[in-house]
Amino acid sequence: MTKFVKRILLCAILISYTLSSASAQKIEGYVYDEQSKEAMLGVVVRNLATAKTTTTAESGYFIIELHNQSDKIILSSIGYNDKIIAVANIPSKPMVFYMESKSNMLSETVVYGNSNDKLQTSNIGLTVLSQKTIKNIPTVFGEADIIKSLQLQPGVSAGIEGFAGMLVHGGNDDQNLFLLDGNPIYQMNHLGGLFSAYNVESVKDLSFYKAAFPSRYGGRLSSVVDITTADGDYNKYHGNLMLGLTSGNISISGPIIKDKTSFHIAIRRSWLELISVPALWVMNASKKKEGKKEIGNYAFTDLNIKLNQRIGQTGELSLLLYYGNDKLKIGEHEFSTDKAEDAEHYLHKDINRLNWGNFLTALKWKTKFSDNLTYDLSASYTRYKSEQSQLIETDYGIKGEENYEREEMHKNLTNGIDDFNVSTSLTYRVTPNYLLRFGLNYVNHLFTPQRIDNSSTNGQIIENNTHERLSANEASAFIDADIQPVSWLQINAGVRGSLFNISGVTYKMIEPRLSANVMLLPTMSVKAGYSRMNQFVQQISDSYVSLPTDFWMPITDAFKPLNSDQISAGFYYKIANKYTLSIEGYYKWMRNLLEYKDGYDLMPTSISWNEKLTSGTGTAYGIDFMIEKDFGRFKGFLGYGLMWTDRHFDELNNGRNFPSKYDNRHKVNISLSYILRPNIDINLSWTYMTGNRVTLSLENYQYINGFPTNIAPGYPNNDEDMLNYYSSKNNVRLPAYHRLDLGLNIYMPKKNNHLGIWNVSIYNAYCQMNPIVIQKCNDKSTINGEVLKPRFRTLALFPIIPSVSYTYKF
Amino acid sequence: MDKYRPAPKVVLNSAVSSDTVVMANVGRTVFFTDSRDVDPTICDADVSLYVNDKIKEKLVWIPDTMLSTGGIYKSTYYPKIGDKIRLEARTLLGEVWAEDIIPDRTLINDVKLSFIERENSDIIIGGPNGSGYGIEYKITYSITFKDNPDMKNYYCIRIEDIGCNSVNGLLDYSSDDVFRAQQPIIDSSTSSKLIEGQEGRTFTDEYINGKTYTMKITETDEHTLYHYGKHKYRRIILYSLSESYYKYLTGILNYGSSTISGSLIDFGFSEPFVHYSNINGGVGILGMVQSESYIIDLRTIFPDYWE
């Protein structure tokens, strides 16, 4: 009881202090980007005398309390030079400040988030990356990649080498919420994950949360990647053209009406056809005599368009359009030739098409009702679609002539989601130390879990069509407050309520969120947080790379929503005003995860997808350590992650717990950048990781033996004389993984302030062949006359891969 | 990998048909690297046969050096359609058991043959007048049978030569809608549309329930092989399977590394296919099967056969 009274008193004191601070002296203002004149969100505003901090709202507005008129205020933001304000006379009106971008030639260098943020906000597990940071991380094929830059963070497993897996704090790939200006998209990969689906040229910056999620985010269990897309420039035209080994992209930004309307457009496309089309042409020229033709074509495309319209002094309307798509066409033609034996005309076509990707369009209006109150309203449509089809056509004879016959078989499998989304939010700064956010969101989901269209014209196969579409309604509301009752304490507290209605079932979810930051010293803080998350849609996959066979499925009456609870705590310390040390621990419980049942592929193809799935639980816990330096000629970070994660499904692995495939116990990342000369910088990234786990058959057993073929069929002749026996899932760990990547940027100024940038990257610089799988080898080849014994061997995919790209900025 | 070496498990394998007495193999699993050195056969097991929940007899170990297992456990009982068969095996490694019901037989109504002749650029024939492409024959087997509409049916189809060996020519099931429909689209997303199955291929009546169906399978080989030797006959076998045996055989016959799914597994991009087993306490299969054979003479389409 005494404790309870003490807590009540403490709360009363804190609240009265918060409210009383409203009457203290304060300075208020707006922060804009000097170049684009856009309002800047999230600029950290800090009173150097009192150590109190706040951040700017979407309108760029801030208000902060002063101790006396000699206080100095510092404004800091990623990618911008810090601005120090000495306040002599406090004006009666809000002041206007312009932040100078570091985006001149010399500062095309890595900025690893803002170290101040980590100490002075209540967020745990938050990393902010600018476009430049992402671009400077060396990657395979030299393509700047959002996901691959996030893979370097401690607590994030990268999945299979080279592919854009992102498994955060022991979660799964589909548990990451990707938002483009607040609008969710589903598919983030091209070509199985070799490239991420979002063009870095259209990224302004991104915020990556892996714990203590603010209540304005919901819908996924493990992480939030909130991408702020690049706005168009209201004043002048500029852009860039990039040519890489596998793709090229062009982006242009500028005013439509100066200071009023702007646009930003970026398009990227692969050009693998430059190799595949001539190769196929040569091959088909030689096969024509045999009456054969091979068909093959693959391409990925993404397009980003953003239009901004200023409305009045404080309002802005923006239209966002994103389209990302992969297309694969592959097949063969067989046809009669001029030869005598081909007297009858014959044409057989067998073509497969795979087509998958996202489309998003969003209209957003944001405005400021007063200096303390901002409002936004948006409506969007998001579509994810994956379509696999096969068309087999055979013509015997010539159409219209006697004895003409035609056979046709068509198979089509579609998975998709159409989301119609309306959301609104209010941000109200009650006092300089008390920021309140409130929001509502409604989504109408139209799921196509598995649309099957099978038909054939020869009448033998009964048409087998499943056109199930499921409509679901999701509504959510959140309230979220940033409170700084005393200069050494910051609290983010909120709650999110969600309703999800599908197939006559309504799930009601409450998600409390809380995080707090206690500044022990100006250079030291500790934090703690808790968050509950729910997820109503899950990607069901039978592979570890991103394929069009990965289906997004809704939660239905058969399965409850995915759910997680995560607690986290952190220690942050700034060393010698140069380095920021952070140590963050977490424990996460995941429930109602879905996986395919064992042997699901033996079930009839027409069976309901629900019946192929089973639900289970997972846990993950660990520590993320990071020390970083984000300014000066020499920048970078050292990250270390320690993690345990496992799963339990009653219908998998005989009901026994099993480790997650990405139960990577230790992970070390070193990422460094050094400005060698004013126009040259070099980048280095080294990764060490405990190996992934694999399901490996360690034992074998015999086939049925001694039965004639009229009783039991024979068995395929292969190297394996016996069948594989699998004792448990993820039973073997691959050898440790390590890799060094290097990058070099050379900046070449051109006339008219244009700039050419050569980028040279070396992926896997010391050519470490990291195994991705262990295979069993039972061939009886000989070495020095001795027959080799059955043996395990590893397979690696990526040797050293140099790449080069050229960017022309205009 | 030795640190992962597990304790062996008991293996029980049997295919039970009304055409023969009940037989079984009993063995143990073997660590992969020892698989050529260790004899996995257990020949001192106590194997019991139950029919319709009543003990029928103990199976007796019969040595047979022609078998890789060195022998087989045999009963004297010929089971009947609809019998519930249960086998139990007690060994020093533990006890295992399984049970299943013998399905009905499906008859083959008819088999028809046709063929086409074509050049194959993969075969270059050299001669005094220069070189040219080899000639190959593509035979189409049209096999007609009637599915029983009253029950869920599981099948396996096999084409072999008269010596009970798999044929030399390449068997391709991609001409038939049942196999096309059964194949995941992702597996047909290659330039080769071949659906393989030299030892046979399983299917269900999912798409042909209750119908009289004509299945098409092709065999392709170099033309001279069809003009002499032992290749003049073909035996077409239609197996009617229990569900368990179907699942076991599907994993063995239908899933190969030549498909995209198989390649994904080989590269570690996908979970491996775990073979179905219905053996409680161990691994293996107790499968129920009825087979129907149809022998056809290839000389009906190749009259210039050289004896």
Side-chain angles (χ1 to χ4, degrees):
Chain A
M1 186 65 188
T2 316
K3 275 187 181 175
F4 179 75
V5 172
K6 277 184 182 173
R7 284 178 192 167
I8 295 290
L9 283 173
L10 182 62
C11 286
I13 291 165
L14 291 177
I15 290 166
S16 61
Y17 187 92
T18 304
L19 295 175
S20 67
S21 62
S23 59
Q25 269 193 319
K26 58 192 179 184
I27 180 170
E28 57 184 323
Y30 292 95
V31 184
Y32 296 100
D33 179 292
E34 188 181 57
Q35 196 175 20
S36 68
K37 305 293 185 287
E38 286 175 17
M40 292 179 62
L41 168 70
V43 175
V44 176
V45 183
R46 185 178 178 213
N47 185 331
L48 292 173
T50 64
K52 282 202 170 186
T53 60
T54 187
T55 53
T56 55
E58 277 199 69
S59 61
Y61 178 77
F62 72 91
I63 181 166
I64 191 164
E65 193 178 308
L66 297 176
H67 182 249
N68 60 51
Q69 292 218 346
S70 62
D71 286 358
K72 286 183 178 172
I73 305 296
I74 184 167
L75 307 178
S76 52
S77 184
I78 301 155
Y80 292 83
N81 294 320
D82 288 354
K83 194 172 195 81
I84 297 175
I85 307 155
V87 183
N89 295 305
I90 302 172
S92 56
K93 287 184 177 176
M95 299 171 75
V96 174
F97 303 99
Y98 292 98
M99 298 282 285
E100 184 189 355
S101 169
K102 292 178 181 174
S103 61
N104 55 48
M105 182 182 73
L106 296 184
S107 59
E108 286 282 349
T109 51
V110 181
V111 181
Y112 293 98
N114 191 306
S115 57
N116 284 335
D117 290 350
K118 287 204 167 171
L119 266 75
Q120 292 163 9
T121 69
S122 57
N123 296 112
I124 305 172
L126 168 64
T127 301
V128 181
L129 298 178
S130 68
Q131 186 194 73
K132 290 163 211 154
T133 309
I134 300 164
K135 280 185 171 177
N136 277 281
I137 293 170
T139 55
V140 63
F141 306 124
E143 288 270 344
D145 195 304
I146 290 170
I147 293 179
K148 282 166 190 164
S149 60
L150 294 173
Q151 288 175 345
L152 300 179
Q153 297 296 314
V156 180
S157 294
I160 291 178
E161 183 183 12
F163 297 89
M166 199 173 105
L167 305 113
V168 182
H169 284 179
N172 293 343
D173 249 333
D174 63 337
Q175 293 172 4
N176 308 307
L177 176 66
F178 288 96
L179 297 170
L180 294 183
D181 288 341
N183 304 289
I185 57 171
Y186 291 92
Q187 174 74 14
M188 275 305 286
N189 296 310
H190 288 308
L191 194 55
L194 279 173
F195 307 99
S196 71
Y198 201 73
N199 187 346
V200 174
E201 291 300 335
S202 289
V203 176
K204 187 175 179 184
D205 57 51
L206 65 84
S207 301
F208 173 54
Y209 298 83
K210 54 187 177 182
F213 307 99
S215 64
R216 59 184 178 275
Y217 298 116
R220 298 289 187 277
L221 299 193
S222 292
S223 84
V224 175
V225 183
D226 190 357
I227 299 168
T228 307
T229 63
D231 291 316
D233 193 322
Y234 280 106
N235 294 299
K236 60 181 182 182
Y237 296 99
H238 55 85
N240 67 53
L241 174 69
M242 194 283 284
L243 304 174
L245 292 181
T246 50
S247 69
N249 78 56
I250 184 165
S251 65
I252 302 172
S253 173
I256 295 172
I257 302 169
K258 199 169 183 184
D259 280 332
K260 196 95 179 149
T261 312
S262 71
F263 75 94
H264 175 92
I265 180 166
I267 185 163
R268 178 173 64 151
R269 194 180 189 284
S270 62
W271 49 36
L272 300 167
E273 300 101 311
L274 289 180
I275 302 166
S276 65
V277 169
L280 275 175
W281 187 83
V282 170
M283 192 168 76
N284 286 332
S286 71
K287 288 207 163 193
K288 195 175 177 184
K289 283 184 285 185
E290 296 171 48
K292 286 184 181 174
K293 182 182 177 186
E294 303 282 344
I295 311 284
N297 189 18
Y298 168 78
F300 72 76
T301 310
D302 47 60
L303 169 69
N304 304 273
I305 298 175
K306 191 171 182 183
L307 302 175
N308 292 70
Q309 169 72 47
R310 282 180 175 157
I311 299 174
Q313 290 295 312
T314 57
E316 188 177 54
L317 191 67
S318 62
L319 177 68
L320 176 72
L321 189 144
Y322 166 73
Y323 170 78
N325 195 254
D326 287 51
K327 276 187 177 176
L328 172 71
K329 180 181 175 187
I330 194 158
E332 64 177 5
H333 290 180
E334 285 186 7
F335 46 85
S336 50
T337 64
D338 301 334
K339 293 172 187 168
E341 63 263 24
D342 285 346
E344 285 198 15
H345 183 269
Y346 167 80
L347 174 61
H348 174 79
K349 294 180 181 176
D350 191 337
I351 304 291
N352 273 60
R353 286 183 173 85
L354 304 180
N355 188 354
W356 66 105
N358 272 273
F359 173 77
L360 162 71
T361 182
L363 186 66
K364 184 174 186 177
W365 173 56
K366 59 182 179 183
T367 191
K368 195 178 70 171
F369 291 134
S370 73
D371 289 340
N372 295 328
L373 185 63
T374 56
Y375 173 77
D376 66 60
L377 173 69
S378 70
S380 68
Y381 166 68
T382 307
R383 187 193 70 201
Y384 167 76
K385 191 174 180 186
S386 163
E387 190 172 21
Q388 309 168 53
S389 67
Q390 183 180 14
L391 178 63
I392 305 166
E393 300 170 289
T394 311
D395 289 293
Y396 301 97
I398 296 172
K399 194 173 182 181
E401 294 186 0
E402 199 178 350
N403 297 328
Y404 171 75
E405 279 183 43
R406 177 179 171 81
E407 286 181 4
E408 185 178 306
M409 182 175 186
H410 182 247
K411 287 165 72 178
N412 192 296
L413 180 58
T414 305
N415 168 250
I417 308 174
D418 294 87
D419 286 352
F420 301 89
N421 192 330
V422 181
S423 63
T424 184
S425 71
L426 271 171
T427 304
Y428 180 46
R429 187 169 289 281
V430 184
T431 73
N433 305 316
Y434 186 15
L435 181 73
L436 193 65
R437 297 184 194 89
F438 170 74
L440 295 168
N441 178 235
Y442 167 76
V443 191
N444 174 250
H445 302 276
L446 200 53
F447 293 100
T448 309
Q450 203 173 51
R451 177 184 169 135
I452 301 170
D453 289 286
N454 287 348
S455 63
S456 74
T457 54
N458 66 11
Q460 293 220 64
I461 289 281
I462 297 166
E463 289 199 359
N464 168 249
N465 299 322
T466 308
H467 290 172
E468 182 189 30
R469 293 201 87 180
L470 293 171
S471 176
N473 295 295
E474 181 181 350
S476 58
F478 72 85
I479 186 161
D480 170 293
D482 286 328
I483 309 165
Q484 189 176 16
V486 287
S487 64
W488 49 267
L489 178 63
Q490 290 167 311
I491 297 167
N492 176 266
V495 65
R496 183 181 183 87
S498 303
L499 293 173
F500 187 78
N501 173 275
I502 188 166
S503 304
V505 181
T506 302
Y507 296 102
K508 299 166 191 163
M509 301 291 172
I510 296 291
E511 302 171 14
R513 316 281 174 82
L514 180 67
S515 61
N517 178 24
V518 177
M519 294 287 291
L520 302 175
L521 296 168
T523 56
M524 184 188 292
S525 74
V526 290
K527 302 182 190 180
Y530 163 77
S531 59
R532 165 165 287 195
M533 302 290 274
N534 286 297
Q535 185 167 332
F536 303 111
V537 57
Q538 180 170 2
Q539 192 174 34
I540 306 297
S541 175
D542 58 359
S543 73
Y544 300 117
V545 291
S546 175
L547 293 173
T549 50
D550 304 340
F551 291 153
W552 283 97
M553 302 294 197
I555 296 306
T556 63
D557 51 346
F559 299 105
K560 291 179 182 169
L562 284 73
N563 169 267
S564 76
D565 286 301
Q566 185 171 200
I567 53 171
S568 49
F571 171 79
Y572 307 82
Y573 183 52
K574 194 152 193 176
I575 306 164
N577 217 26
K578 284 185 179 174
Y579 305 97
T580 305
L581 168 74
S582 63
I583 302 170
E584 297 172 342
Y586 60 91
Y587 201 112
K588 183 161 72 175
W589 296 265
M590 294 170 279
R591 291 170 284 271
N592 308 323
L593 305 177
L594 295 182
E595 292 279 357
Y596 279 119
K597 288 177 183 170
D598 282 340
Y600 79 93
D601 31 14
L602 294 174
M603 294 179 178
T605 52
S606 55
I607 198 170
S608 161
W609 55 274
N610 258 342
E611 293 178 46
K612 297 179 182 176
L613 301 177
T614 180
S615 77
T617 58
T619 56
Y621 54 95
I623 296 172
D624 298 340
F625 167 97
M626 186 178 260
I627 185 160
E628 56 195 311
K629 178 175 182 287
D630 65 2
F631 61 92
R633 287 182 75 176
F634 184 72
K635 304 173 189 181
F637 70 81
L638 163 69
Y640 169 69
L642 175 67
M643 183 184 69
W644 288 261
T645 177
D646 69 0
R647 299 284 186 274
H648 179 92
F649 288 77
D650 289 341
E651 293 184 80
L652 295 181
N653 203 43
N654 296 318
R656 293 170 287 162
N657 277 21
F658 58 93
S660 164
K661 181 172 178 65
Y662 306 110
D663 177 37
N664 307 117
R665 188 76 65 249
H666 307 281
K667 183 183 172 221
V668 179
N669 280 101
I670 299 172
S671 189
L672 302 172
S673 171
Y674 182 65
I675 302 173
L676 194 64
R677 291 171 54 183
N679 66 334
I680 298 176
D681 63 58
I682 54 174
N683 304 289
L684 172 156
S685 171
W686 185 73
T687 300
Y688 170 90
M689 189 171 68
T690 308
N692 292 339
R693 287 184 169 273
V694 292
T695 304
L696 180 65
S697 157
L698 298 166
E699 297 170 274
N700 288 71
Y701 63 102
Q702 288 188 311
Y703 291 104
I704 293 180
N705 194 278
F707 292 81
T709 53
N710 67 321
I711 304 297
Y715 303 110
N717 295 316
N718 54 32
D719 288 339
E720 310 297 335
D721 297 327
M722 297 200 279
L723 284 167
N724 290 322
Y725 175 69
Y726 294 90
S727 58
S728 58
K729 265 177 95 72
N730 300 332
N731 55 333
V732 170
R733 196 185 279 290
L734 290 172
Y737 177 97
H738 54 103
R739 190 188 83 227
L740 174 70
D741 303 332
L742 300 172
L744 172 73
N745 291 315
I746 303 170
Y747 304 94
M748 303 173 73
K750 308 284 181 189
K751 288 179 184 174
N752 304 322
N753 282 331
H754 293 185
L755 181 68
I757 307 170
W758 282 101
N759 171 270
V760 180
S761 297
I762 302 175
Y763 179 86
N764 197 5
Y766 56 80
C767 200
Q768 168 66 24
M769 296 304 288
N770 289 297
I772 57 167
V773 70
I774 298 174
Q775 296 177 332
K776 293 162 81 171
C777 186
N778 197 20
D779 69 49
K780 297 184 175 69
S781 53
T782 56
I783 291 182
N784 300 327
E786 196 170 322
V787 178
L788 292 175
K789 290 192 163 189
R791 58 215 175 270
F792 293 101
R793 68 178 179 195
T794 56
L795 173 75
L797 275 189
F798 293 96
I800 182 170
I801 301 176
S803 59
V804 62
S805 68
Y806 180 74
T807 304
Y808 185 78
K809 294 191 131 192
F810 53 93
Chain B
M1 300 297 292
D2 233 39
K3 65 182 175 185
Y4 294 110
R5 184 181 285 268
K9 287 92 194 164
V10 179
V11 179
L12 173 63
N13 282 324
S14 178
V16 179
S17 165
S18 62
D19 294 334
T20 184
V21 295
V22 176
M23 299 184 287
N25 309 129
V26 182
R28 47 165 286 192
T29 56
V30 183
F31 194 64
F32 173 63
T33 54
D34 301 339
S35 57
R36 283 192 219 144
D37 305 325
V38 173
D39 179 5
T41 305
I42 296 175
C43 47
D44 59 354
D46 177 17
V47 185
S48 304
L49 167 66
Y50 293 78
V51 178
N52 298 325
D53 298 324
K54 290 180 183 163
I55 179 103
K56 194 75 183 173
E57 61 182 295
K58 299 261 185 191
L59 275 65
V60 179
W61 170 255
I62 307 291
D64 184 347
T65 52
M66 296 297 287
L67 301 177
S68 63
T69 48
I72 196 163
Y73 290 91
K74 273 191 176 176
S75 73
T76 58
Y77 180 70
Y78 281 82
K80 296 185 285 291
I81 290 166
D83 273 356
K84 184 161 101 176
I85 302 294
R86 176 184 170 101
L87 284 175
E88 292 181 359
R90 292 179 187 82
T91 74
L92 294 174
L93 293 174
E95 295 180 17
V96 297
W97 66 272
E99 62 185 21
D100 207 347
I101 295 171
I102 306 235
D104 206 347
R105 193 186 306 267
T106 300
L107 302 178
I108 296 174
N109 298 343
D110 189 26
V111 176
K112 284 195 164 51
L113 296 175
S114 62
F115 87 105
I116 58 169
E117 180 184 322
R118 63 186 187 190
E119 283 186 346
N120 183 348
S121 62
D122 295 333
I123 306 168
I124 307 293
I125 308 286
N129 301 321
S131 61
Y133 292 141
I135 302 295
E136 65 183 16
Y137 287 167
K138 183 176 176 182
I139 305 169
T140 300
Y141 299 88
S142 299
I143 305 153
T144 304
F145 60 93
K146 182 168 187 343
D147 178 71
N148 183 347
D150 300 331
M151 61 181 73
K152 183 78 189 159
N153 294 298
Y154 303 90
Y155 299 104
C156 177
I157 187 91
R158 174 181 165 89
I159 297 172
E160 63 181 21
D161 69 20
I162 204 71
C164 302
N165 301 308
S166 53
V167 298
N168 196 54
L170 179 67
L171 293 174
D172 181 5
Y173 298 73
S174 67
S175 304
D176 192 87
D177 287 353
V178 163
F179 297 109
R180 287 170 179 166
Q182 178 191 57
Q183 189 186 37
I185 294 179
I186 191 78
D187 279 341
S188 55
S189 303
T190 65
S191 57
S192 167
K193 300 299 177 183
L194 176 72
I195 300 178
E196 292 179 308
Q198 285 305 105
E199 301 293 341
R201 201 164 173 96
T202 62
F203 61 97
T204 70
D205 61 358
E206 182 182 1
Y207 298 109
I208 56 171
N209 188 33
K211 294 181 81 177
T212 297
Y213 186 72
T214 299
M215 176 167 278
K216 287 181 180 173
I217 301 168
T218 64
E219 177 191 332
T220 306
D221 208 345
E222 208 271 314
H223 77 295
T224 55
L225 295 173
Y226 293 107
H227 290 293
Y228 65 89
K230 298 176 182 176
H231 301 284
K232 56 188 172 188
Y233 295 108
R234 289 289 182 269
R235 187 200 313 270
I236 291 100
I237 308 171
L238 180 64
Y239 303 92
S240 301
L241 309 171
S242 62
E243 184 178 355
S244 297
Y245 199 29
Y246 163 80
K247 288 180 175 177
Y248 173 82
L249 286 175
T250 300
I252 292 168
L253 300 176
N254 293 17
Y255 288 86
S257 58
S258 59
T259 60
I260 289 184
S261 307
S263 302
L264 288 172
I265 293 169
D266 285 350
F267 283 104
F269 295 157
S270 192
E271 277 293 285
F273 184 87
V274 178
H275 291 290
Y276 177 81
S277 168
N278 63 351
I279 305 300
N280 295 284
V283 67
I285 187 69
L286 172 62
M288 304 287 138
V289 55
Q290 293 287 68
S291 66
E292 168 73 5
S293 295
Y294 192 107
I295 294 173
I296 192 159
D297 190 340
L298 293 184
R299 286 173 296 187
T300 56
I301 53 170
F302 303 131
D304 53 344
Y305 194 88
W306 310 327
E307 293 291 347

